[in-house]
Amino acid sequence: MYLKLYKKTAFVLGVLLAILIFNACELDDKYPISAPEQYTKDDVKSYADLFKVFWTVMDQRYSYFYEQKRKDGKGWDAIYNEYYPKFSALKTFGRSTDDKNEIDTDKVKAIHYFIDIINPIIDRHFFVKIRIPLNRYQYGVFRFRGGMKEQHANSYMFSSKLGYIKNYLGNDTICQKYTLIPGVKKSDLSITYLMGSVKKNPDIYYLTYDSFSLYLSDLTKFLSSKFLNDSNPNELGLRTRNIENNPLLGRITDLTVRENVKVLTRDIQSKWDAFIIAPELNVFRTQCRQFMATEIMSDDLLEAARSALIKYDELPVYYEEETYATVLTPESKPYIDWFISEMEQYIGNERNMNDFETAVIAVIERASFYQNLLNPLHKGTIKKLILDLRSNGGGALKDLQFFIERLVTKSTIWSYERTKEGNGRFDYTPWIPQKTKPHKLGGIPSNIPIAILTDNYSASMSEITVLLLKSQGNHVVSIGDYTYGATAGITSDPADFNGGVVGNIADNWFYFYMPFSAVKDVNGEIIEGVGIKPDIYVAPPTDAEVTQMENAPDTFVDRVMEAAVNHLSSK
């Protein structure tokens, strides 16, 4: 059946990983720029200009000048004083020269200068793309980020975990992937998860997922539609008399074709009318309302969804010309086009039956996540939990409300956040406490032992999850390696804040990806570029272990998983 696409809105959470020192330096008055977005290509006519624009954008928008110190002890002013003369000495930018060696020499120097400046930035979400001349007419785009010279520890990649973790789990293991739109196999946004009881100790339930997109499981957004209202009168819908008296029908000169097309379209309309008040649909409506009030995925709702979908799939597909093949002629086509349009208005817009199809498929497709995880957590039947966030690089903030808050039993402060309130280097807001709150419907009834598994690629929302859940008490422990060190906020609309820049500057000379906020933990520690220290440290996998987990998953022993099972089994 037909499935309508819809736009997604996303708030992407990220991480500003702090620069190692920045003090204050004043530019000369050549650039009276009050906001980075005001720069144009006319402000970049030399390597010196290129550096100055970069320096100023950082000076105005970066959120960690106060806390971070560069390893070499240089302040942000010292960076300007040292590198502005170096960039000024590069003369081939915008000059009419065909000396390739001279151009290449300046290009290499500029790249090395930017690496030297940006590499000490410990914000692992921050990056900037900069255009640098390749010759008189062409430019290359080079990407720079903090820590770009560093080598990271090995990790437990998600694809590898899908291969060997199944050996740790029992017969109730579920591995599922679904996308933003129910029933659509390909999408630019999807979630894959693996969960099940641990063989060694069935009281321990295990969950891992590739990104924080669990909110895609949220059925409440799919079930909020007018199709649930079975008493909505048909005020705008298609009437039989509209068919009988339609002048387009009367223009069909072949009386047999006219009668046949009239009978066919009336039959299509009557079948859809009957479906709208069908017992199967009414039962599904009732079960949906119960779910919206409780968020409990019952077997009755799942069965109602399946029955309603079977009934729905028996309906004639009114919007496809193939349905009218036996009566479709040049004369009947205008009337058939009108009928399709009217049915779309009636069925699609007034009755919102396209939303019904999305909802019924969503229930069938995503029921297992509720029935095997969310509902048992809420009922208290899951006694212990392993939350495996290794190699989970983060995702959407809305996962806090949809999932993580289900593991919260009390309101606590889990971190502090600050943004810029002006273009001055230290124009910061006060540190604002970030608090947890229990889920409004589906939270756990009481605290349970939770082990959060981390490695050096657990970033962003993974780290926020660790900070948030550890604020609940000692029943939550983190096991594994240090996290990535990326906790500050990224927004798709940076104009809402003075801090951060996400987008092009100076007519594409730069693309900045700079978070808008700074974050510190409850102890006042900045963890950008440092990461969260695990409660139980387990060294990262060796090269040999990485090879084994990829090529011999049936025999691979996961030391972090073993430590988590042993810890929880003692609780």
Side-chain angles (χ1 to χ4, degrees), residues 149-218:
K149 293 182 178 180
E150 298 176 9
Q151 183 175 358
H152 293 283
N154 289 331
S155 66
Y156 295 84
M157 299 305 293
F158 185 79
S159 58
S160 298
K161 286 193 296 180
L162 289 182
Y164 72 80
I165 285 290
K166 296 175 183 179
N167 298 322
Y168 284 84
L169 306 182
N171 294 329
D172 60 349
T173 300
I174 298 172
C175 185
Q176 187 177 17
K177 176 181 179 179
Y178 45 76
T179 60
L180 175 69
I181 305 169
V184 176
K185 293 183 178 180
K186 292 184 179 181
S187 174
D188 59 350
L189 185 60
S190 66
I191 176 73
T192 300
Y193 68 84
L194 171 66
M195 62 186 186
S197 299
V198 174
K199 285 180 184 177
K200 289 184 179 179
N201 186 343
D203 283 342
I204 302 173
Y205 202 79
Y206 172 90
L207 171 67
T208 189
Y209 41 97
D210 59 350
S211 68
F212 278 82
S213 303
L214 289 174
Y215 70 92
L216 298 179
S217 307
D218 185 2

Side-chain angles (χ1 to χ4, degrees), residues 137-432:
Y137 308 105
Q138 294 179 310
Y139 300 85
V141 178
F142 297 85
R143 189 177 187 272
F144 304 90
R145 60 177 177 83
M148 58 195 303
K149 293 182 178 180
E150 298 176 9
Q151 183 175 358
H152 293 283
N154 289 331
S155 66
Y156 295 84
M157 299 305 293
F158 185 79
S159 58
S160 298
K161 286 193 296 180
L162 289 182
Y164 72 80
I165 285 290
K166 296 175 183 179
N167 298 322
Y168 284 84
L169 306 182
N171 294 329
D172 60 349
T173 300
I174 298 172
C175 185
Q176 187 177 17
K177 176 181 179 179
Y178 45 76
T179 60
L180 175 69
I181 305 169
V184 176
K185 293 183 178 180
K186 292 184 179 181
S187 174
D188 59 350
L189 185 60
S190 66
I191 176 73
T192 300
Y193 68 84
L194 171 66
M195 62 186 186
S197 299
V198 174
K199 285 180 184 177
K200 289 184 179 179
N201 186 343
D203 283 342
I204 302 173
Y205 202 79
Y206 172 90
L207 171 67
T208 189
Y209 41 97
D210 59 350
S211 68
F212 278 82
S213 303
L214 289 174
Y215 70 92
L216 298 179
S217 307
D218 185 2
L219 291 178
T220 59
K221 63 179 180 290
F222 297 119
L223 305 186
S224 301
S225 173
K226 287 192 293 184
F227 80 82
L228 292 178
N229 185 1
D230 52 9
S231 62
N232 185 27
N234 178 9
E235 296 176 352
L236 302 175
L238 191 63
R239 296 284 199 276
T240 301
R241 65 174 177 272
N242 297 130
I243 293 176
E244 298 282 356
N245 301 324
N246 192 283
L248 294 174
L249 187 64
R251 293 174 188 172
I252 302 174
T253 57
D254 188 317
L255 297 182
T256 300
V257 172
R258 182 193 301 176
E259 182 62 22
N260 288 342
V261 75
K262 180 174 68 173
V263 170
L264 176 60
T265 51
R266 276 200 313 215
D267 180 64
I268 293 172
Q269 177 202 349
S270 65
K271 287 179 178 177
W272 277 90
D273 283 340
F275 174 72
I276 290 170
I277 59 173
E280 293 87 351
L281 185 54
N282 287 332
V283 171
F284 180 65
R285 288 185 179 114
T286 300
Q287 292 297 324
C288 285
R289 295 190 193 101
Q290 292 181 10
F291 174 85
M292 295 293 283
T294 64
E295 286 202 22
I296 299 298
M297 171 58 67
S298 66
D299 290 337
D300 289 339
L301 172 56
L302 187 55
E303 180 57 33
R306 289 169 175 156
S307 298
L309 185 60
I310 291 172
K311 193 76 173 177
Y312 181 74
D313 282 340
E314 293 172 352
L315 292 169
V317 186
Y318 66 82
Y319 49 82
E320 291 184 357
E321 281 194 354
E322 184 179 351
T323 303
Y324 311 90
T326 59
V327 295
L328 184 60
T329 68
E331 281 190 328
S332 66
K333 190 176 186 307
Y335 167 79
I336 291 172
D337 289 343
W338 166 85
F339 178 78
I340 291 173
S341 176
E342 289 295 308
M343 286 292 289
E344 177 60 27
Q345 170 65 25
Y346 173 42
I347 300 299
N349 297 336
E350 181 185 344
R351 288 295 182 175
N352 287 77
M353 295 311 296
N354 295 325
D355 289 348
F356 158 78
E357 182 182 3
T358 300
V360 74
I361 294 175
V363 169
I364 295 170
E365 180 182 80
R366 303 173 192 204
S368 62
F369 190 76
Y370 280 85
Q371 291 193 325
N372 293 280
L373 178 66
L374 301 186
N375 294 164
L377 279 172
H378 179 58
K379 294 176 182 178
T381 55
I382 291 179
K383 304 300 183 182
K384 303 174 183 181
L385 178 66
I386 293 176
L387 185 58
D388 190 348
L389 301 181
R390 292 174 295 176
S391 291
N392 187 321
L397 180 63
K398 63 182 71 175
D399 263 22
L400 282 182
Q401 290 76 39
F402 172 67
F403 177 63
I404 303 303
E405 286 182 353
R406 296 175 189 268
L407 305 176
V408 169
T409 59
K410 60 183 179 180
S411 179
T412 57
I413 296 174
W414 61 271
S415 71
Y416 296 87
E417 185 177 37
R418 172 190 79 192
T419 63
K420 297 288 293 295
E421 58 182 356
N423 284 336
R425 190 179 303 170
F426 303 116
D427 289 343
Y428 298 135
T429 65
W431 287 103
I432 301 171

